[in-house]
Amino acid sequence: MKKGRPFVLFIVLGALFYGEGLPGRLHAAPHSAETQDCLSCHIQATPGIVSDWQQSRHAQVTPAEAMAVEPLSRKVSASEVPQGLKSHSVGCAECHTVRAEAHKDTVEHNGYSMYVVVSPEDCRTCHQEEAVQYQRNLMAHAHDNLMKNPLYGQLIQAINGLQTLEGTSLQTLPPMAHTNEDSCLNCHGTDVRVQGTVSRDTDFDTMDFVVLSGWPNVGVGRRNPDGSNGSCASCHARHSFSIEVARKPETCSQCHKGPDVPAYKIYSVSKHGNLYGALKGQWNFSNVPWVVGKDMKAPTCATCHVSLLVDEAKNVVAKRSHAMNDRLPWRIFGLIYAHPHPREARVHTIKNAKGLALPTELDGSWVSRALIDADEQDRRRATMQAVCSACHGTQWVHGHWQRFEKTIEETNRMTKTATDIMVQSWKEKRSRGLPDNPFDEPLEKRWVEQWFFFANSIRFSSAMMGADYSVFDNGRWFQSKGLREMEWLERMGSLQSTRR
Amino acid sequence: MKKGRPFVLFIVLGALFYGEGLPGRLHAAPHSAETQDCLSCHIQATPGIVSDWQQSRHAQVTPAEAMAVEPLSRKVSASEVPQGLKSHSVGCAECHTVRAEAHKDTVEHNGYSMYVVVSPEDCRTCHQEEAVQYQRNLMAHAHDNLMKNPLYGQLIQAINGLQTLEGTSLQTLPPMAHTNEDSCLNCHGTDVRVQGTVSRDTDFDTMDFVVLSGWPNVGVGRRNPDGSNGSCASCHARHSFSIEVARKPETCSQCHKGPDVPAYKIYSVSKHGNLYGALKGQWNFSNVPWVVGKDMKAPTCATCHVSLLVDEAKNVVAKRSHAMNDRLPWRIFGLIYAHPHPREARVHTIKNAKGLALPTELDGSWVSRALIDADEQDRRRATMQAVCSACHGTQWVHGHWQRFEKTIEETNRMTKTATDIMVQSWKEKRSRGLPDNPFDEPLEKRWVEQWFFFANSIRFSSAMMGADYSVFDNGRWFQSKGLREMEWLERMGSLQSTRR
Amino acid sequence: MKKGRPFVLFIVLGALFYGEGLPGRLHAAPHSAETQDCLSCHIQATPGIVSDWQQSRHAQVTPAEAMAVEPLSRKVSASEVPQGLKSHSVGCAECHTVRAEAHKDTVEHNGYSMYVVVSPEDCRTCHQEEAVQYQRNLMAHAHDNLMKNPLYGQLIQAINGLQTLEGTSLQTLPPMAHTNEDSCLNCHGTDVRVQGTVSRDTDFDTMDFVVLSGWPNVGVGRRNPDGSNGSCASCHARHSFSIEVARKPETCSQCHKGPDVPAYKIYSVSKHGNLYGALKGQWNFSNVPWVVGKDMKAPTCATCHVSLLVDEAKNVVAKRSHAMNDRLPWRIFGLIYAHPHPREARVHTIKNAKGLALPTELDGSWVSRALIDADEQDRRRATMQAVCSACHGTQWVHGHWQRFEKTIEETNRMTKTATDIMVQSWKEKRSRGLPDNPFDEPLEKRWVEQWFFFANSIRFSSAMMGADYSVFDNGRWFQSKGLREMEWLERMGSLQSTRR
């Protein structure tokens, strides 16, 4: 026995007592007849789904009960929930049939009009505020923001296009749909479309199934068959829909770990991530509202970016917002440069002076009309700093932000230098720039890494004080080395061209 | 106290009750006199080993008790266990002396014929089925599969050979034995050989010890002094021999994390790994059989590849198999290309048309006689899909596999393009190919990374939906960049050769 | 409920009993009036800090109580603690005011002379032995060891200097202070200096705050405003000052994960790290002394390098030492070569034959007078091997160390080969070496990676048997490839120079 393990003893003489709402305990709320019907087969057909759901709040608490708690603890934000849904659990039928008429993926299934792809519009029935806020995120539009930007289309082509050798030169074919789904759209979200239906023998009967392209997918900007976009299951995964899972940083790591956006990797070597890794087994990730210092001793991604936070006296430190940019003065994910956060979530509609769908010019200046102004930046910075200040003194918070914002400026200047080399190469025709693909030659690929990998790493690292990534792990070492290698490549290119 | 922590209260009035078989509790089964004798010194000589073992099932349950449980829960697969071993714990003497005559590493040790290196043949005494199945894995032969393949011998030489500068050229010496043991053979398994004995002063007495080369090692294909191969301790680590440890993915990460075979890294950013990381503290990793959805809400490596799985009604979802290829239609670890799984585990005996010990030709076509046929692939795919289907609907499973198998094909085509550049370079003598080492020049090293790092990453990522690794983290970004750099290097090489 | 979860039931009829000192439980020791005063505002101003502290031993145990326990369990090493501090908790005032006169960062704050930056000299009041031992670490002097070494100054310049394109050539400006603080000094420690005071409106009143440069920072060699160096909070993080956190490897990962010093990454794929990851929830990280095999089944960083270890009979396996080099015969972090550990912690004072502040010459020979001799190496090796031997047999330990020390030698020889290429390039003026910056050209940067990334990875991997990192993840694959690319770059450079 590990000493020092926290536990509480409820003594009930002569009886076994189970605490209310404990995970793993099945306090089923009454299920609807429809859901009971689903369960009768699916407990055998997909036992993992059923067990997962049975342990969820959805199976254990009715919407009516969920709406009765005090405001700060409420998880159901809709002021009204349809009468027919109020008094039983939120089960199979409640999610997979409630808006059947709006869903192109609806099929007849054992007498029910059932659809596969539950969307944020379905969840909105009870979680209205979150569904609405979520649409204000760039993430909610991640599919379109990528696929409707012609410049990014060239980037995808340069990455995902199938290459073949013709003579001594590489040729690139357009990427296949499945390749994009298997790579970029895995996170950005696919376009889920109904291709028809198919009949299959199952353990129960011969049954019709809808055939979907772009499926499976839980990308954040998924285009759904009901016309909506996004997927709540990106973070509230699978059939537990757990707030605990969404609050833990492993969830965010799914899409925020790579060299382009290494947030999780950096978090995990920051002091915050260090404490999370060491102590998470002792923290409370289910409590609503979430009490700083008591429920957790260091923040996770959700703490700083999403969650409703209070102190022990229930004073609100930060309001919950599923529009994560409410706390973001800067967009540090450089495209090509870091910049004030965009005003609108559908960033593919921004156009810079050259007509490119980018929030900055090639020289680093901002497309200001598309970006929030300094006042709005101040408001958002203050919102985020209120979270910092729950655990850090004034000097700490001010010093940290000052250093971070200087680093944003510095990395932009280093990106400008890389872009200067690139522009020179394009001008002197040693590389082929726009309208040709500006991302497919060796020098161009180095240039992309300068801003997409190294400048991003350094900024995320600065934001979270995750030291290694600001120096040697895709940080300044690689940023400075990359510049020197770009200079060298240009020199070799010039040598080569004089030989032709 | 973390609210929501699952716990159960057994109330026993006026008494302290301990549940059976709880880790950390010492319910010692009776120990043999021989083991008692070992313990009397070793509790002081190697206290960590003794404590570890005392907390194991081996110390707490006799084979007779272990064999008495219902078939689905049995961990001892032998139908008969030697009479003398049945009624006491499985202790020091039971493992380290039971087959002394078969072990070249046996020495006299305080009156016992004792050996150091316990092998799968020793474990087979009780765990017969697992020991036999394990030999059907490529892993069980990982030492020979590497060391008896002359082509791989050239790869080892190119990696591990000591290099010196002679004039302006690098020379490579053959790798030293200790270097191979410290690198490749750490995972593949060393060849453990007896070099003699040595006398050493200890806290107890002057004693003889056997001197072993290739030791320490817990590689999966270790050659043991009793002539057997493999090591159960690779996964059932050290003296707990715990099923919990083997079922957790950290165990597999030891050898499956690097850029060549990034399974664990990708798992950890997949939704499965996300849920494991967030919730593992609440799951049951010791239950046999393992109940999907109840004992765990997302699979670990073992769930999909090894374990006996049931639903809550104890219907079998998948049978246990220590021959992991039973569920593997494809070998996605490309050498040089991905291909249907090999029929036989000793893959170093395969020969392609050029006489190389490879399961494919250089152009990507398969050495079909050595690989399983489409029917066997269908059977294995169905076995694996049964696991998927425990938690995912039909559309999800079919869509996932279709996308995955397209990605296998696509990565093979990209590898073919890289190989085309390589073959051209060899043909035009800009690189020196076979019989010279085909892995030691700059272009050759780029070529190796195309299939060994990038194509592998993309395929593992596709298999587990771990998005980052399919694009930016050793994925398609590096695959397409690598091709462009190979093309560029060839162009520079041709420039250089015209200068000579 | 997870079966097999360890728990103990203390039955106290009719009453709720809480065990002593359980984390999460608030057994406040009496607080001083001054601390009570601080808390009255700060419970609202910085609730996270207050909650964190309330759950710490400092809030729950008085120094007098802490000093009364048996010697092996004592955490307070001072033989005498000032009378005024003995009988109440170690609170805000006790740490932030006790040495106000020694602190340049002291300000008047609501009637108290309070300082922000608590230093090892402050902690020394109770933890004397640890504070003294810590100063014997290279880490304690990490700021000066980096910043006072002119050669490392050139390395910093090459990494952190802002680069601009002038014509077709890159120019490098000196690094900005904030850049160094955001990168190297994040781990090495900043120089925290008082810049003045500033008046700010707060929720309570208008107040004066000290303005600090180099703040925030918890780097190990931080220069503090009281003239001391180091930060106990580097490992005993924030206001819990927890031994549990310091013993967990996530803490060390903050600065020991990057490619230069990948200790944590390698640990995490070693068998030790595998077991830690899989089982840490069941281990005891708070027990003092720490019982091998019982409190933990595999070591963390602290187990091998710092902690007081005993067996179950309380025989001492290893004495606690906050001078971590007590167990280190080698310094495997190559600068440029691995070498016997330096005698003195202030390594910037070492000079080699060329006058460079390095512990080795460029050809790999050691600056012996500055390094420990073979006898001292033997003593330190024996101290470390005593830890190994708690869980491993004699053969295992000897075989492991023999292999490890051969790898040290081998990597030094490979670094020598890289340096030979580099020196040749400098000699023939294809690269510009000293007195010019020897770290800023493409070939030079490759050379740095040979020893700083690849040789280091291989050695750390060998030390902990973390296989992947010795071969494919920044290991021997990259070491051998790097040499071939250096050779190729030199050939291209020679081609280029004949063209001029």
Side-chain angles (χ1 to χ4, degrees):
Chain A
M1 161 73 190
K2 191 181 161 224
K3 268 190 206 167
R5 190 65 157 289
F7 64 93
V8 166
L9 218 61
F10 299 94
I11 302 281
V12 181
L13 284 174
L16 218 54
F17 171 84
Y18 295 103
E20 193 181 81
L22 297 177
R25 297 298 320 143
L26 311 184
H27 296 265
H31 303 331
S32 67
E34 294 82 356
T35 288
Q36 284 290 16
D37 212 6
C38 304
L39 290 172
S40 66
C41 294
H42 274 274
I43 199 158
Q44 192 180 332
T46 54
I49 296 178
V50 172
S51 291
D52 192 16
W53 171 76
Q54 282 173 332
Q55 294 168 48
S56 76
R57 281 186 64 84
H58 276 176
Q60 296 173 24
V61 178
T62 67
E65 289 166 352
M67 295 171 76
V69 300
E70 54 128 359
L72 277 179
S73 299
R74 266 186 72 166
K75 290 163 187 152
V76 172
S77 58
S79 54
E80 217 26 79
V81 166
Q83 196 57 38
L85 296 174
K86 269 191 174 163
S87 306
H88 46 71
S89 65
V90 182
C92 321
E94 285 64 37
C95 295
H96 284 276
T97 69
V98 72
R99 289 176 62 252
E101 75 298 336
H103 276 259
K104 290 193 184 149
D105 54 329
T106 298
V107 284
E108 288 306 302
H109 183 76
N110 290 322
Y112 293 99
S113 292
M114 189 278 301
Y115 47 88
V116 173
V117 184
V118 176
S119 83
E121 279 300 297
D122 301 319
C123 302
R124 187 179 173 175
T125 308
C126 296
H127 303 283
Q128 178 155 26
E129 204 168 301
E130 289 70 29
V132 169
Q133 286 172 340
Y134 183 73
Q135 293 299 316
R136 302 209 324 262
N137 287 305
L138 272 61
M139 294 204 310
H141 307 276
H143 177 274
D144 284 4
N145 283 343
L146 180 67
M147 301 302 279
K148 293 191 174 170
N149 184 328
L151 189 68
Y152 296 173
Q154 290 182 302
L155 184 57
I156 296 175
Q157 162 97 4
I159 297 172
N160 285 350
L162 192 68
Q163 299 191 45
T164 56
L165 189 69
E166 311 293 330
T168 60
S169 292
L170 290 167
Q171 304 299 323
T172 306
L173 301 171
M176 289 174 281
H178 95 270
T179 305
N180 288 346
E181 290 166 6
D182 201 39
S183 56
C184 313
L185 302 182
N186 205 326
C187 284
H188 281 256
T190 56
D191 188 2
V192 182
R193 285 174 187 263
V194 178
Q195 302 296 336
T197 55
V198 67
S199 202
R200 284 208 184 89
D201 293 333
T202 75
D203 286 349
F204 301 89
D205 206 345
T206 301
M207 284 178 158
D208 284 345
F209 294 92
V210 69
V211 177
L212 299 167
S213 63
W215 189 251
N217 183 263
V218 291
V220 292
R222 192 179 66 201
R223 302 283 309 139
N224 300 309
D226 67 350
S228 70
N229 51 297
S231 164
C232 300
S234 305
C235 305
H236 298 277
R238 300 251 71 218
H239 290 87
S240 321
F241 318 100
S242 147
I243 198 170
E244 173 173 4
V245 168
R247 280 173 169 180
K248 288 187 169 172
E250 286 88 350
T251 294
C252 310
S253 83
Q254 251 191 287
C255 293
H256 296 265
K257 196 179 178 194
D260 48 327
V261 47
Y264 175 80
K265 276 203 284 203
I266 288 165
Y267 172 78
S268 72
V269 297
S270 73
K271 188 56 91 189
H272 292 162
N274 157 201
L275 292 172
Y276 172 77
L279 301 178
K280 65 177 171 175
Q282 301 160 19
W283 296 354
N284 185 335
F285 290 90
S286 303
N287 203 19
V288 175
W290 215 9
V291 185
V292 293
K294 182 162 167 269
D295 289 337
M296 70 324 206
K297 293 181 168 199
T300 66
C301 314
T303 316
C304 294
H305 292 289
V306 184
S307 300
L308 166 63
L309 303 175
V310 300
D311 65 19
E312 293 204 42
K314 297 230 173 171
N315 299 304
V316 173
V317 171
K319 287 190 281 187
R320 181 190 297 121
S321 174
H322 277 65
M324 296 166 209
N325 30 26
D326 284 355
R327 303 185 192 171
L328 294 178
W330 296 99
R331 188 179 182 209
I332 61 173
F333 179 70
L335 294 161
I336 297 168
Y337 299 90
H339 49 269
H341 217 275
R343 283 179 202 277
E344 304 291 338
R346 299 180 64 82
V347 290
H348 61 88
T349 62
I350 298 174
K351 292 277 175 294
N352 72 7
K354 298 265 190 223
L356 302 173
L358 289 179
T360 67
E361 308 297 338
L362 269 187
D363 67 1
S365 56
W366 299 330
V367 181
S368 300
R369 68 183 175 284
L371 308 178
I372 60 172
D373 61 19
D375 285 350
E376 177 63 17
Q377 281 195 297
D378 288 346
R379 270 190 294 277
R380 295 186 181 190
R381 189 187 295 103
T383 310
M384 182 64 103
Q385 288 183 344
V387 181
C388 308
S389 297
C391 299
H392 294 287
T394 311
Q395 284 318 296
W396 186 286
V397 175
H398 279 263
H400 172 70
W401 276 82
Q402 195 176 38
R403 196 185 286 164
F404 169 48
E405 297 190 335
K406 278 189 185 171
T407 291
I408 291 176
E409 188 194 332
E410 178 213 349
T411 50
N412 275 350
R413 289 175 69 183
M414 289 291 267
T415 296
K416 170 74 164 54
T417 302
T419 307
D420 285 346
I421 299 178
M422 195 66 248
V423 167
Q424 200 170 75
S425 184
W426 285 329
K427 227 174 244 170
E428 304 190 5
K429 309 288 184 198
R430 281 195 293 274
S431 304
R432 292 177 311 277
L434 288 167
D436 196 81
N437 195 318
F439 306 119
D440 64 351
E441 296 174 72
L443 186 74
E444 290 166 340
K445 288 180 183 292
R446 298 297 179 101
W447 169 62
V448 171
E449 291 183 353
Q450 290 295 116
W451 41 271
F452 213 43
F453 291 2
F454 313 139
N456 280 352
S457 275
I458 294 164
R459 287 187 291 255
F460 280 101
S461 173
S462 183
M464 291 183 274
M465 298 180 71
D468 264 346
Y469 292 86
S470 75
V471 195
F472 289 116
D473 207 334
N474 270 2
R476 288 177 175 88
W477 169 262
F478 287 97
Q479 185 182 239
S480 63
K481 179 186 168 202
L483 280 175
R484 292 290 166 168
E485 297 206 332
M486 287 184 72
E487 181 193 35
W488 183 87
L489 272 170
E490 266 297 90
R491 209 167 288 157
M492 295 309 292
S494 123
L495 172 66
Q496 208 184 350
S497 58
T498 62
R499 295 270 322 154
R500 277 173 191 161
Chain B
M1 160 73 189
K2 190 180 161 226
K3 269 190 204 167
R5 191 67 157 289
F7 64 94
V8 166
L9 217 59
F10 300 94
I11 303 280
V12 182
L13 285 175
L16 218 55
F17 171 84
Y18 294 103
E20 193 180 80
L22 296 177
R25 297 297 320 143
L26 310 185
H27 297 265
H31 303 331
S32 66
E34 293 82 356
T35 288
Q36 285 289 16
D37 212 7
C38 304
L39 291 172
S40 65
C41 294
H42 273 275
I43 199 157
Q44 192 180 332
T46 55
I49 296 178
V50 172
S51 292
D52 192 17
W53 171 77
Q54 282 172 332
Q55 294 168 48
S56 75
R57 280 186 64 83
H58 276 176
Q60 295 174 24
V61 179
T62 67
E65 288 165 353
M67 294 171 76
V69 301
E70 53 128 0
L72 277 179
S73 299
R74 268 186 72 166
K75 288 163 189 153
V76 172
S77 58
S79 54
E80 216 28 77
V81 165
Q83 196 58 38
L85 296 174
K86 268 192 173 162
S87 307
H88 46 70
S89 66
V90 183
C92 320
E94 285 65 36
C95 296
H96 284 276
T97 68
V98 71
R99 290 176 63 251
E101 77 295 336
H103 276 260
K104 291 194 183 149
D105 54 328
T106 299
V107 282
E108 287 307 302
H109 184 75
N110 289 322
Y112 293 99
S113 292
M114 189 277 303
Y115 47 89
V116 174
V117 184
V118 176
S119 84
E121 280 299 298
D122 300 319
C123 302
R124 188 180 173 174
T125 308
C126 296
H127 302 282
Q128 176 155 26
E129 204 169 302
E130 289 69 30
V132 169
Q133 287 173 340
Y134 183 73
Q135 292 300 316
R136 301 209 325 261
N137 287 305
L138 271 62
M139 295 204 309
H141 306 276
H143 176 275
D144 284 4
N145 283 342
L146 180 68
M147 300 302 279
K148 293 192 173 170
N149 184 328
L151 189 68
Y152 296 173
Q154 290 182 302
L155 185 57
I156 296 175
Q157 161 96 3
I159 297 172
N160 285 351
L162 191 69
Q163 299 190 46
T164 56
L165 189 68
E166 311 293 330
T168 61
S169 293
L170 290 167
Q171 305 299 323
T172 307
L173 300 171
M176 288 174 282
H178 95 270
T179 305
N180 288 347
E181 289 165 7
D182 201 38
S183 56
C184 313
L185 301 183
N186 205 325
C187 284
H188 280 257
T190 55
D191 188 2
V192 182
R193 286 175 187 262
V194 178
Q195 302 296 335
T197 55
V198 67
S199 203
R200 284 207 184 88
D201 291 334
T202 76
D203 286 350
F204 301 90
D205 206 347
T206 301
M207 284 177 157
D208 283 345
F209 294 92
V210 67
V211 177
L212 299 168
S213 63
W215 189 252
N217 183 265
V218 290
V220 291
R222 191 181 66 202
R223 303 283 307 139
N224 301 309
D226 67 349
S228 70
N229 51 297
S231 164
C232 300
S234 305
C235 305
H236 298 277
R238 301 251 69 220
H239 290 86
S240 319
F241 318 101
S242 148
I243 197 170
E244 172 172 5
V245 168
R247 280 173 169 179
K248 287 187 170 172
E250 285 87 351
T251 294
C252 310
S253 82
Q254 250 191 287
C255 293
H256 296 264
K257 196 179 179 195
D260 49 327
V261 46
Y264 176 80
K265 276 204 285 203
I266 288 166
Y267 172 79
S268 73
V269 297
S270 73
K271 188 56 91 188
H272 293 162
N274 157 202
L275 292 172
Y276 171 77
L279 302 177
K280 64 176 172 174
Q282 301 160 19
W283 296 354
N284 185 336
F285 290 90
S286 302
N287 203 19
V288 175
W290 215 9
V291 185
V292 292
K294 182 162 166 273
D295 288 337
M296 70 326 205
K297 291 181 170 201
T300 66
C301 313
T303 316
C304 295
H305 292 289
V306 184
S307 299
L308 166 63
L309 303 174
V310 299
D311 65 19
E312 292 204 41
K314 298 229 172 172
N315 298 305
V316 172
V317 170
K319 287 189 281 189
R320 181 189 298 120
S321 174
H322 277 66
M324 296 167 208
N325 30 24
D326 284 354
R327 303 185 193 172
L328 294 178
W330 295 99
R331 188 179 182 209
I332 62 174
F333 180 70
L335 292 164
I336 297 168
Y337 298 90
H339 50 271
H341 217 274
R343 284 179 201 277
E344 304 291 339
R346 299 180 64 82
V347 290
H348 63 87
T349 62
I350 298 175
K351 291 278 174 293
N352 73 7
K354 296 264 192 224
L356 301 173
L358 288 179
T360 67
E361 308 297 337
L362 269 187
D363 66 1
S365 56
W366 299 330
V367 180
S368 300
R369 65 182 177 284
L371 308 178
I372 59 171
D373 60 21
D375 285 351
E376 178 63 16
Q377 281 194 299
D378 288 346
R379 269 189 296 275
R380 295 185 181 191
R381 189 187 295 103
T383 309
M384 182 66 103
Q385 288 183 345
V387 180
C388 308
S389 297
C391 298
H392 294 288
T394 311
Q395 285 317 297
W396 187 285
V397 175
H398 279 262
H400 173 69
W401 276 83
Q402 193 175 40
R403 196 185 285 161
F404 169 48
E405 296 189 336
K406 278 189 185 172
T407 291
I408 291 176
E409 188 194 332
E410 177 212 350
T411 49
N412 275 350
R413 289 175 70 182
M414 289 291 267
T415 296
K416 170 73 165 54
T417 303
T419 308
D420 286 345
I421 299 178
M422 195 67 248
V423 166
Q424 202 168 73
S425 184
W426 284 330
K427 226 174 245 170
E428 304 190 5
K429 310 286 183 198
R430 281 195 293 275
S431 304
R432 291 179 310 277
L434 286 169
D436 197 81
N437 195 317
F439 307 119
D440 64 352
E441 295 173 73
L443 186 73
E444 290 166 340
K445 287 180 184 293
R446 297 298 179 101
W447 169 63
V448 170
E449 291 183 352
Q450 289 295 117
W451 42 270
F452 213 43
F453 291 1
F454 313 139
N456 280 352
S457 275
I458 294 165
R459 287 187 291 254
F460 279 101
S461 173
S462 182
M464 290 183 274
M465 298 180 71
D468 263 345
Y469 292 87
S470 76
V471 195
F472 290 115
D473 208 334
N474 270 2
R476 287 177 176 89
W477 169 262
F478 286 97
Q479 185 182 240
S480 63
K481 179 187 168 202
L483 280 175
R484 292 290 167 168
E485 297 205 333
M486 286 183 73
E487 181 193 35
W488 182 88
L489 271 171
E490 266 299 89
R491 210 167 289 156
M492 295 309 292
S494 122
L495 171 67
Q496 209 185 347
S497 58
T498 63
R499 295 269 322 155
R500 278 172 191 161
Chain C
M1 160 72 191
K2 192 181 159 223
K3 268 190 206 165
R5 190 66 156 289
F7 64 93
V8 166
L9 218 60
F10 299 95
I11 303 281
V12 181
L13 284 175
L16 219 54
F17 171 84
Y18 294 105
E20 192 180 82
L22 297 176
R25 297 296 321 142
L26 311 185
H27 296 265
H31 304 330
S32 66
E34 294 82 355
T35 288
Q36 285 290 17
D37 211 7
C38 304
L39 290 173
S40 66
C41 294
H42 274 274
I43 198 158
Q44 192 181 331
T46 55
I49 296 178
V50 172
S51 292
D52 192 16
W53 171 76
Q54 282 172 330
Q55 295 168 48
S56 75
R57 281 186 63 85
H58 276 176
Q60 297 174 23
V61 178
T62 66
E65 288 165 354
M67 294 171 77
V69 300
E70 54 129 359
L72 278 178
S73 299
R74 268 186 73 165
K75 289 162 187 152
V76 172
S77 59
S79 54
E80 216 27 77
V81 165
Q83 196 57 39
L85 296 173
K86 268 192 174 163
S87 305
H88 46 70
S89 66
V90 182
C92 321
E94 284 65 35
C95 295
H96 285 275
T97 69
V98 71
R99 290 177 62 251
E101 77 296 336
H103 276 259
K104 290 193 182 149
D105 54 329
T106 298
V107 283
E108 286 307 302
H109 183 76
N110 289 321
Y112 294 99
S113 291
M114 188 277 303
Y115 47 90
V116 173
V117 184
V118 176
S119 83
E121 279 301 298
D122 301 318
C123 302
R124 187 180 174 173
T125 308
C126 297
H127 302 282
Q128 178 156 24
E129 203 168 303
E130 290 69 31
V132 170
Q133 287 172 339
Y134 183 73
Q135 293 300 317
R136 302 209 324 261
N137 287 305
L138 271 63
M139 296 204 309
H141 306 276
H143 177 274
D144 284 4
N145 283 343
L146 180 67
M147 300 302 279
K148 293 192 173 169
N149 184 329
L151 188 68
Y152 296 173
Q154 290 182 302
L155 184 59
I156 296 175
Q157 161 95 4
I159 297 172
N160 285 351
L162 192 68
Q163 300 190 45
T164 56
L165 189 69
E166 310 295 329
T168 60
S169 292
L170 290 167
Q171 303 299 322
T172 307
L173 301 170
M176 288 174 281
H178 95 271
T179 305
N180 289 346
E181 289 165 7
D182 202 37
S183 55
C184 313
L185 301 182
N186 205 326
C187 284
H188 281 256
T190 56
D191 187 3
V192 182
R193 284 174 189 263
V194 178
Q195 302 296 335
T197 55
V198 67
S199 203
R200 284 207 183 89
D201 292 334
T202 75
D203 287 349
F204 301 89
D205 206 346
T206 301
M207 285 179 158
D208 284 344
F209 293 92
V210 68
V211 176
L212 299 168
S213 62
W215 190 251
N217 183 263
V218 289
V220 292
R222 191 179 67 201
R223 301 284 308 142
N224 301 309
D226 66 351
S228 69
N229 51 298
S231 164
C232 300
S234 305
C235 305
H236 298 276
R238 300 252 71 220
H239 290 86
S240 320
F241 318 99
S242 148
I243 197 170
E244 172 172 5
V245 167
R247 281 174 168 179
K248 287 186 169 172
E250 286 87 351
T251 295
C252 311
S253 83
Q254 251 191 285
C255 293
H256 295 265
K257 196 179 179 194
D260 49 327
V261 47
Y264 175 79
K265 276 204 284 202
I266 287 167
Y267 172 78
S268 73
V269 296
S270 73
K271 187 57 89 188
H272 292 162
N274 158 202
L275 292 172
Y276 172 77
L279 301 177
K280 64 176 171 175
Q282 301 160 19
W283 297 353
N284 185 335
F285 290 91
S286 303
N287 203 20
V288 174
W290 216 8
V291 185
V292 293
K294 181 161 168 272
D295 289 337
M296 70 324 204
K297 292 181 170 200
T300 66
C301 314
T303 316
C304 296
H305 293 289
V306 183
S307 301
L308 166 62
L309 304 174
V310 299
D311 65 20
E312 293 204 42
K314 299 230 173 172
N315 298 305
V316 172
V317 170
K319 287 190 281 188
R320 182 189 297 120
S321 174
H322 277 64
M324 297 168 208
N325 29 25
D326 284 353
R327 304 185 192 171
L328 294 178
W330 297 97
R331 189 179 182 208
I332 61 173
F333 180 70
L335 292 163
I336 299 170
Y337 299 90
H339 50 270
H341 217 275
R343 283 179 202 276
E344 304 292 337
R346 299 181 65 81
V347 290
H348 63 87
T349 61
I350 298 175
K351 292 277 175 293
N352 72 8
K354 298 263 191 221
L356 302 172
L358 289 178
T360 67
E361 308 297 337
L362 269 188
D363 66 2
S365 56
W366 299 331
V367 181
S368 300
R369 68 183 176 284
L371 308 178
I372 59 171
D373 61 20
D375 285 350
E376 178 63 15
Q377 281 195 298
D378 288 344
R379 270 189 295 276
R380 295 186 180 189
R381 189 187 295 103
T383 310
M384 183 64 103
Q385 287 182 344
V387 181
C388 308
S389 297
C391 299
H392 293 288
T394 311
Q395 283 317 297
W396 186 285
V397 175
H398 279 262
H400 173 69
W401 276 82
Q402 193 175 40
R403 196 185 285 162
F404 169 47
E405 297 190 334
K406 278 189 185 173
T407 290
I408 292 176
E409 187 194 334
E410 178 212 350
T411 49
N412 274 350
R413 290 175 68 183
M414 289 290 268
T415 296
K416 169 75 165 54
T417 303
T419 307
D420 286 345
I421 299 178
M422 195 65 248
V423 167
Q424 200 168 74
S425 184
W426 284 331
K427 227 174 245 171
E428 304 190 5
K429 310 286 183 198
R430 281 195 293 274
S431 305
R432 292 179 310 279
L434 288 168
D436 196 82
N437 194 318
F439 306 118
D440 65 351
E441 296 174 73
L443 186 73
E444 290 166 341
K445 287 180 183 293
R446 298 298 179 101
W447 169 62
V448 171
E449 292 183 353
Q450 290 295 117
W451 42 270
F452 213 42
F453 290 1
F454 312 139
N456 280 352
S457 274
I458 294 165
R459 286 188 291 254
F460 279 101
S461 174
S462 182
M464 290 184 275
M465 298 180 71
D468 263 346
Y469 292 86
S470 76
V471 195
F472 289 116
D473 209 334
N474 270 2
R476 289 178 174 87
W477 169 261
F478 286 97
Q479 184 181 242
S480 63
K481 180 187 168 202
L483 279 176
R484 292 290 166 168
E485 298 205 333
M486 287 183 73
E487 181 192 36
W488 182 88
L489 272 170
E490 266 298 89
R491 210 167 288 158
M492 295 308 293
S494 123
L495 172 67
Q496 210 184 348
S497 58
T498 63
R499 294 269 322 153
R500 277 173 192 162

